[in-house]
Amino acid sequence: MSLRVTDYYSEFKKKVKAKELKIAVVGLGYVGLPLAVEYAKKGFQVTGIDVDKDRIENIGKKVSYIIDVPTSELKAVILKGKFKADLGFEALKKSDVAIICVPTPLKRKYHPNISYIMSAVRQIKKYLHPGQLVVLESTTYPGTTEEAIMPVLESSGLKCGKDFFLAFSPERIDPGNMAYPVHKIPKVIGGITREATELAVLLYENIVSKAVPVSSARVAETVKLLENTFRIVNIGLIDEIAMMCHKMNIDIWEVIDAAKTKPFGFMPFYPGPGVGGHCIPKDPLYLFWKAKKFGFHSRFIKLASDMINHMPGYVVDRVSALLKDNGLDLSRARVLVAGVTYKKDVKDLRKSPSLDIIEILKARQVAVSYYDPLIPYLKINHINLESVDLDKESLKSFDCVIIAADHTSVDYKLILKNSRFIFDARNVYKNITDKKIYRL
Ligand SMILES: NC(=O)c1ccc[n+]([C@@H]2O[C@H](COP(=O)([O-])OP(=O)(O)OC[C@H]3O[C@@H](n4cnc5c(N)ncnc54)[C@H](O)[C@@H]3O)[C@@H](O)[C@H]2O)c1
């Protein structure tokens, strides 16, 4: 370590110990807000920065909009003066650390869109100063930190590894999973230089039980993509096995329950109406895209992605078949989609398969409605919908209810009692035998 770098290191260490480190979190969504609040709870001075006026206003009113951050916790850190949020980026001037948690969607299928990252990086560059640590948490393709971010930051005239430090540390949270809040999930960290990794380890050790340093930012970027590729491939596989079992009249849910009693070598994945959210459907495609630049075609990623995209259409086909078996024509049926978010109890519609199911039904001229206690109104392209009431009267007016998301607060007994047919894509009626229930 050069003398200057040693100085930065010991200064950083002193500030961490004294809880004097100033942290800026750029992007206050599902990833950024829990992270910012976690550091503020530990006594650090945290400023959150976001370009979304509504989110900043909510924080100003001390109201949380993210399931993993209780409003009481947000309120407590704000009242203690440990957390504030801003639309502007000026807080970066005085911050020792800048952590980037902005979205990384797709431009089109198989094409990463890192424009949100680059826009945040250009702001950080304006305020970059000696000794500052910049960490990217957004999921992205291998090489982003070194090939895309570093040159922009270095165009400030400061040198990476000498004047400032740059690392990648993937966020691995699972929104709504109360068993694994931020602090219980080990943090993988890969710096552009060894010193950057060490500083980032010092930073994250304050909020997580375990920091896992790796040899480079590129490795850390790939770790996250491996994790989510593992998930998409296994979900795609179990979706295929579910379709296969249906043909063979075997209950896939019973099969999985029995298989998971094996204490090693098996991990349960469950079939569903498709996969949504801002991770699994798109993260593996970042890896697919980058691998292609090296002349490598990933057959597994392509197949798994095709498989999960096929599921909403498969659900509609199954509903059509069950109605036909009972003398009803899908195009003349009234269908209720129960649960429209991509995931149980999480108010996030991004890439939700329920939206695809509704669109497909609409395209087939079906009278489709939806119910979701978390989403009062819905806009899909040009279609505006309002959640129906879930009561005896309204349930009786539908020919079939599709259980597409399994929110805890929904009265499934009421649905069972008052519906004509149910297509249960989430196995909410586990162990219940009733002729009107059709399982995925
Ligand atoms: N949601 C998850 O479950 C999850 C889990 C692990 C990793 N990730 C990854 O973390 C990243 C963030 O995901 P998220 O779900 O928190 O997204 P999000 O959309 O909930 O939050 C991102 C926030 O960044 C803000 N933003 C966009 N551009 C900005 C800019 N230039 N400057 C400041 N703020 C800006 C947006 O307004 C938004 O509030 C993505 O790369 C995602 O793949 C997400």
Side-chain angles (χ1 to χ4, degrees):
M1 255 193 234
S2 74
L3 196 59
R4 209 157 156 217
V5 172
T6 316
D7 284 349
Y8 292 143
Y9 187 86
S10 52
E11 181 70 6
F12 196 92
K13 207 168 172 178
K14 257 195 256 161
K15 282 188 176 172
V16 167
K17 211 168 163 207
K19 301 276 161 85
E20 281 169 2
L21 203 70
K22 291 194 174 67
I23 300 170
V25 175
V26 183
L28 296 172
Y30 286 90
V31 166
L33 190 64
L35 183 77
V37 169
E38 204 60 31
Y39 274 112
K41 271 165 43 187
K42 294 286 176 195
F44 293 97
Q45 199 66 47
V46 184
T47 305
I49 299 168
D50 203 295
V51 292
D52 185 325
K53 215 166 150 237
D54 289 347
R55 288 194 158 173
I56 297 297
E57 274 175 15
N58 271 310
I59 295 173
K61 289 181 202 149
K62 307 183 190 71
V63 174
S64 174
Y65 45 83
I66 297 288
I67 182 175
D68 298 328
V69 178
T71 286
S72 57
E73 283 188 12
L74 180 72
K75 206 170 173 178
V77 289
I78 295 173
L79 290 176
K80 273 190 189 152
K82 293 295 172 192
F83 180 57
K84 60 180 178 5
D86 211 334
L87 274 173
F89 290 76
E90 291 75 20
L92 289 165
K93 204 189 297 178
K94 290 195 175 151
S95 66
D96 303 291
V97 179
I99 308 178
I100 307 168
C101 306
V102 298
T104 44
L106 293 170
K107 254 187 234 161
R108 53 184 189 278
K109 206 171 176 197
Y110 305 116
H111 279 78
N113 174 1
I114 62 161
S115 63
Y116 297 89
I117 296 181
M118 297 321 292
S119 154
V121 168
R122 283 191 294 275
Q123 291 292 339
I124 292 170
K125 180 195 138 185
K126 282 193 207 161
Y127 302 99
L128 192 67
H129 51 265
Q132 201 172 22
L133 170 67
V134 178
V135 184
L136 175 66
E137 288 219 2
S138 304
T139 309
T140 183
Y141 59 80
T144 308
T145 310
E146 192 169 356
E147 294 158 13
I149 298 179
M150 189 173 82
V152 173
L153 294 180
E154 285 197 328
S155 68
S156 65
L158 297 175
K159 187 101 189 87
C160 183
K162 195 165 146 257
D163 304 312
F164 71 92
F165 304 92
L166 178 60
F168 179 81
S169 179
E171 183 49 72
R172 303 157 111 184
I173 53 147
D174 181 16
N177 186 341
M178 300 307 171
Y180 289 101
V182 173
H183 67 269
K184 281 198 182 163
I185 309 170
K187 204 91 175 78
V188 171
I189 296 160
I192 294 293
T193 54
R194 189 167 52 81
E195 291 82 8
T197 308
E198 284 174 13
L199 288 183
V201 168
L202 274 179
L203 172 73
Y204 283 108
E205 272 176 350
N206 291 283
I207 58 156
V208 294
S209 51
K210 192 176 176 192
V212 184
V214 294
S215 64
S216 64
R218 195 178 291 268
V219 166
E221 286 158 344
T222 313
V223 168
K224 174 72 188 179
L225 298 181
L226 167 64
E227 291 167 3
N228 281 354
T229 299
F230 173 83
R231 288 191 62 76
I232 200 176
V233 167
N234 280 287
I235 295 168
L237 171 67
I238 205 69
D239 282 341
E240 187 176 85
I241 304 274
M243 291 192 258
M244 196 189 288
C245 281
H246 171 67
K247 283 271 178 209
M248 298 191 290
N249 201 19
I250 296 166
D251 182 344
I252 179 64
W253 305 95
E254 191 185 349
V255 172
I256 299 168
D257 274 354
K260 75 180 186 197
T261 59
K262 186 178 178 184
F264 52 88
F266 182 81
M267 181 185 275
F269 281 83
Y270 298 93
V275 181
H278 191 52
C279 290
I280 316 285
K282 55 94 184 167
D283 292 352
L285 303 184
Y286 270 59
L287 187 56
F288 183 93
W289 176 85
K290 186 69 181 185
K292 234 173 167 197
K293 304 246 163 256
F294 289 79
F296 188 89
H297 173 80
S298 169
R299 285 170 290 178
F300 267 109
I301 295 177
K302 168 93 176 50
L303 179 62
S305 177
D306 289 348
M307 183 58 75
I308 63 164
N309 290 332
H310 172 71
M311 292 312 286
Y314 174 74
V315 167
V316 174
D317 288 345
R318 287 280 306 275
V319 170
S320 173
L322 84 83
L323 290 174
K324 201 170 169 198
D325 288 349
N326 290 285
L328 287 161
D329 191 305
L330 178 67
S331 62
R332 291 208 200 100
R334 280 177 51 84
V335 175
L336 178 71
V337 175
V340 289
T341 65
Y342 87 91
K343 187 180 187 185
K344 177 179 184 163
D345 300 337
V346 175
K347 198 179 166 180
D348 190 346
L349 287 169
R350 286 180 290 183
K351 297 253 172 275
S352 173
S354 301
L355 308 187
D356 292 333
I357 291 173
I358 292 172
E359 272 202 291
I360 297 168
L361 287 169
K362 283 268 178 201
R364 292 204 197 170
Q365 317 300 325
V366 181
V368 55
S369 304
Y370 87 91
Y371 167 72
D372 194 311
L374 305 179
I375 309 287
Y377 305 98
L378 191 60
K379 189 167 191 231
I380 315 171
N381 296 326
H382 300 296
I383 312 168
N384 285 303
L385 293 168
E386 198 176 317
S387 176
V388 299
D389 292 333
L390 195 74
D391 54 35
K392 193 173 156 187
E393 297 290 287
S394 93
L395 283 167
K396 286 203 181 293
S397 70
F398 294 103
D399 298 299
C400 183
V401 178
I402 302 174
I403 310 287
D406 46 349
H407 298 315
T408 316
S409 64
V410 174
D411 189 344
Y412 295 105
K413 277 192 190 145
L414 183 81
I415 297 179
L416 182 57
K417 200 166 167 210
N418 297 292
S419 303
R420 202 162 167 199
F421 298 108
I422 297 170
F423 186 76
D424 182 4
R426 298 288 186 182
N427 201 23
V428 297
Y429 294 110
K430 186 176 178 173
N431 301 330
I432 296 180
T433 312
D434 191 308
K435 275 192 177 155
K436 65 168 85 159
I437 302 173
Y438 291 73
R439 278 177 239 277
L440 184 72

